[in-house]
Amino acid sequence: FTDRRADRGVAEDAPFGVERVTRHPGLWSAGLVSAGHACALSTRSVPTFAFFAMPLVVALVGGGHTDSRYRRGMGGSLGGSYEAHTSNVPFVGFWKQCFGPSGAGPTAQFGKLVEESKGLNSLVAVGAGVALALSRRSRIPPTTASAIRRTATLK
């Protein structure tokens, strides 16, 4: 189920797969999904916005805290080359790899990212998102404009 770096001939201190995007993909995926909910529901109330925006703050602070512990050798390690080519914040390390002194350009870096990604996982994620969106489509309340149009056509 997993691709090991050694099987692909990738050095241990080189970014691999989703680590090219961020060092903490689990934190940032939850944070960004919650931020999307915060933006979509932000018109309802400030507590709702704060509730859904908090995982984004946890991703930023928690990822930084984990990195600081790894730099001190507590619970893991964060090597110089690995740290230089990756970032806590999504896509910052990816752009450093693209446009840094030894950068190969965005096309080459994106190609590596696609090559190291698992197509089946991406397909399942997109399929689940589309299925969820289609299942909620009938429950979305009509907008004011469409309600007015319907009322006008009924008369």
Side-chain angles (χ1 to χ4, degrees):
F1 291 106
T2 61
D3 291 331
R4 293 184 304 191
R5 296 170 193 262
D7 293 345
R8 298 254 182 140
V10 177
E12 283 296 320
D13 63 344
F16 181 76
V18 75
E19 292 173 356
R20 291 182 183 282
V21 177
T22 180
R23 283 193 289 263
H24 308 288
L27 287 173
W28 281 103
S29 62
L32 291 174
V33 166
S34 295
H37 284 289
C39 292
L41 302 173
S42 65
T43 57
R44 298 202 180 169
S45 68
V46 172
T48 302
F49 179 80
F51 175 77
F52 282 111
M54 195 53 60
L56 190 62
V57 175
V58 170
L60 183 63
V61 174
H65 175 68
T66 302
D67 289 347
S68 73
R69 290 178 55 90
Y70 285 179
R71 283 185 197 101
R72 292 178 283 162
M74 300 172 68
S77 64
L78 191 58
S81 174
Y82 181 74
E83 185 174 10
H85 291 100
T86 60
S87 174
N88 176 28
V89 179
F91 291 104
V92 172
F94 186 79
W95 290 113
K96 283 196 290 188
Q97 293 173 42
C98 292
F99 302 112
S102 62
T107 306
Q109 290 299 330
F110 188 73
K112 288 180 186 177
L113 179 64
V114 169
E115 179 184 310
E116 294 167 356
S117 298
K118 296 181 180 180
L120 181 61
N121 290 358
S122 301
L123 186 64
V124 167
V126 170
V130 167
L132 182 63
L134 290 175
S135 73
R136 293 181 175 214
R137 191 171 131 194
S138 62
R139 290 187 258 160
I140 297 173
T143 62
T144 307
S146 63
I148 292 170
R149 270 188 249 124
R150 263 193 245 131
T151 306
T153 58
L154 292 176
K155 291 182 182 177

